[in-house]
Amino acid sequence: MIFPRGEVLHRSLSTAFTDFPALLSTLKTGDFSGIIEIEFPENKGVIFVDSGEIINAEAKIGADSKRVIGQEAVQTLLTLSNQKDGVINIYRLSPERVAIVASNLQHEILFKGLSTDFTRLDRLLLKLREEKHNGFIEVLTKEHQAMGVLFLEGGEPVEMFTTPETGPSVFGRKSIPIFVENAIKQGAIFDVYRSQGKILKKEIKEIKEIKEIKEKKIPGRAEELKELITIFQEVLSEAEKLVDGSSRRKGLFHKIFKESLIEKSEEFVFLDPFAGEFEYREGAIQFTGDIGVKDFAKGIVECLVATLFGLEKELPKDKILPLKLKAGIESSLEQHSGALKRLGVNAIASSIFK
């Protein structure tokens, strides 16, 4: 597996002058979370530490790079640390990210060397979602340089990191759709692995968000949600016509609005493009999720606000179009003010103009 590199804590410590057990003890006392790299001329390995505790490890031994993981790898690396020709690097990562990488160390390869020349990465992800795949995808350039790793749980992309040439790896769940699009455009090679180890649950934050959504949902309001979707569908459709027509750039509104969905997906889980619950395309909203009308309205309104800011950045010299869009949205919502009041979301809808 391609491993991430976080914030550098120590780099190029020589094993000749480092008491490795004492170093581990210090990291435990400091509640450290991250990875420890140990490299020798013919052997190397990585130890994963979560809040001071070793939770997994991988070692590659000998000229043939025999791979061992788990407790055997830990003991192997502890033994190697007594040798004098090694180097130790320590990188800090969050406990959640350490855990998700460590949980995928035990794996098997399903597909190797797939190319975007012959395989659609987005369609492969849909297939893996249907199969509720647990594992990860390594993405490389056509020159076989590491681009990043995408992790899946139950078929859903849950985390990813990219591997820049310099500096720490860049994590970001909400950047997954953009990463996939860039890989498709630039061309890439990818290897698909199935995890055979313990599968992590969703992050605690996501579980809390989903629970809160269910608690806020009022039973028997499916018809009200359907009515609200129809209203916002009209608002988005009119906004799209205005932006694309005035800018003479077909698809501009959809592009910026999609970016706003990604931006707001951590706060509003149902907006996550990879969750497959909400989609706006060609003037129509498709929604298969389960949420209250107020939460749905708040999510869409915040995306519209983000779209206004995004349009200003996209067209910095055009001062009129964002104002026209804001006025157009206000006009569309005003036509449905009675329904919005009845649904209890009028204050949420009007917040876009504050």
Side-chain angles (χ1 to χ4, degrees):
M1 181 191 292
I2 301 168
F3 295 128
R5 292 187 175 183
E7 174 192 353
V8 176
L9 187 61
H10 298 289
R11 178 176 286 168
S12 301
L13 297 177
S14 171
T15 54
F17 308 107
T18 303
D19 185 334
F20 194 63
L23 175 62
L24 289 177
S25 179
T26 300
L27 293 176
K28 182 173 182 178
T29 302
D31 207 30
F32 168 81
S33 292
I35 63 175
I36 304 170
E37 292 181 343
I38 306 178
E39 296 185 1
F40 293 87
E42 290 191 353
N43 309 300
K44 62 180 180 180
V46 178
I47 295 175
F48 294 83
V49 182
D50 181 351
S51 302
E53 300 293 334
I54 295 175
I55 59 171
N56 212 340
E58 176 189 275
K60 293 185 177 180
I61 309 302
D64 59 350
S65 295
K66 177 186 175 183
R67 181 174 180 268
V68 294
I69 62 173
Q71 190 59 38
E72 181 181 357
V74 174
Q75 293 301 324
T76 298
L77 294 173
L78 284 172
T79 300
L80 287 171
S81 69
N82 293 321
Q83 298 180 11
K84 298 181 179 180
D85 54 352
V87 172
I88 301 170
N89 300 311
I90 304 176
Y91 303 96
R92 190 188 303 277
L93 288 171
S94 70
E96 295 82 3
R97 288 165 176 166
V98 171
I100 198 169
V101 178
S103 71
N104 281 276
L105 286 187
Q106 189 173 344
H107 55 255
E108 63 176 342
I109 189 160
L110 293 183
F111 306 105
K112 187 171 181 62
L114 297 178
S115 170
T116 50
D117 291 338
F118 308 105
T119 306
R120 286 285 301 272
L121 180 54
D122 51 350
R123 292 181 181 175
L124 174 64
L125 288 171
L126 288 175
K127 181 177 184 295
L128 295 175
R129 175 187 288 168
E130 292 173 358
E131 295 176 351
K132 298 188 181 302
H133 180 79
N134 293 307
F136 59 96
I137 302 173
E138 292 184 341
V139 184
L140 306 98
T141 66
K142 291 192 173 182
E143 292 74 35
H144 293 273
Q145 298 298 313
M147 292 176 63
V149 178
L150 175 62
F151 296 95
L152 300 99
E153 292 180 10
E156 299 294 337
V158 294
E159 184 60 278
M160 63 153 286
F161 67 82
T162 56
T163 53
E165 292 183 6
T166 59
S169 299
V170 179
F171 282 81
R173 181 177 180 271
K174 68 180 182 180
S175 300
I176 291 173
I178 295 175
F179 176 73
V180 171
E181 287 182 9
N182 288 339
I184 293 171
K185 289 178 182 178
Q186 297 175 14
I189 295 170
F190 42 98
D191 302 330
V192 183
Y193 296 83
R194 176 187 289 125
S195 175
Q196 297 174 315
K198 179 182 177 182
I199 303 303
L200 298 178
K201 295 180 179 180
K202 298 285 187 180
E203 292 183 3
I204 294 175
K205 179 182 177 183
E206 293 179 19
I207 293 174
K208 286 183 177 178
E209 287 175 343
I210 294 171
K211 183 179 179 182
E212 288 172 359
I213 288 171
K214 290 182 177 180
E215 288 174 349
K216 291 178 182 177
K217 179 184 171 249
I218 301 175
R221 300 193 69 179
E223 290 303 316
E224 293 184 351
L225 180 59
K226 185 177 179 180
E227 183 179 5
L228 184 63
I229 288 173
T230 301
I231 293 172
F232 277 116
Q233 178 173 278
E234 181 181 319
V235 172
L236 291 173
S237 179
E238 291 300 319
E240 183 172 23
K241 291 175 184 176
L242 174 63
V243 171
D244 290 8
S246 298
S247 67
R248 298 182 181 179
R249 289 173 57 181
K250 183 175 175 57
L252 176 61
F253 177 83
H254 186 267
K255 169 183 173 291
I256 298 176
F257 184 69
K258 185 176 180 180
E259 290 172 351
S260 77
L261 295 177
I262 297 168
E263 178 185 338
K264 298 296 180 180
S265 63
E266 287 194 355
E267 184 178 356
F268 302 97
V269 179
F270 75 94
L271 295 176
D272 187 343
F274 273 98
E277 294 182 8
F278 178 91
E279 182 181 21
Y280 173 75
R281 185 179 295 277
E282 298 179 352
I285 290 176
Q286 298 293 329
F287 184 67
T288 58
D290 191 8
I291 194 172
V293 291
K294 289 186 178 180
D295 292 305
F296 185 89
K298 194 170 190 301
I300 301 303
V301 165
E302 292 206 14
C303 282
L304 284 170
V305 173
T307 300
L308 283 167
F309 283 115
L311 186 61
E312 292 175 353
K313 291 181 179 179
E314 185 76 20
L315 302 172
K317 295 182 179 179
D318 191 338
K319 305 298 183 182
I320 302 300
L321 184 52
L323 295 176
K324 289 172 65 177
L325 175 58
K326 190 172 183 179
I329 294 172
E330 184 174 17
S331 177
S332 295
L333 290 173
E334 181 61 30
Q335 295 175 27
H336 300 282
S337 59
L340 294 172
K341 288 179 181 177
R342 176 166 43 80
L343 294 170
V345 298
N346 189 57
I348 295 172
S350 62
S351 66
I352 190 173
F353 310 111
K354 293 181 179 179

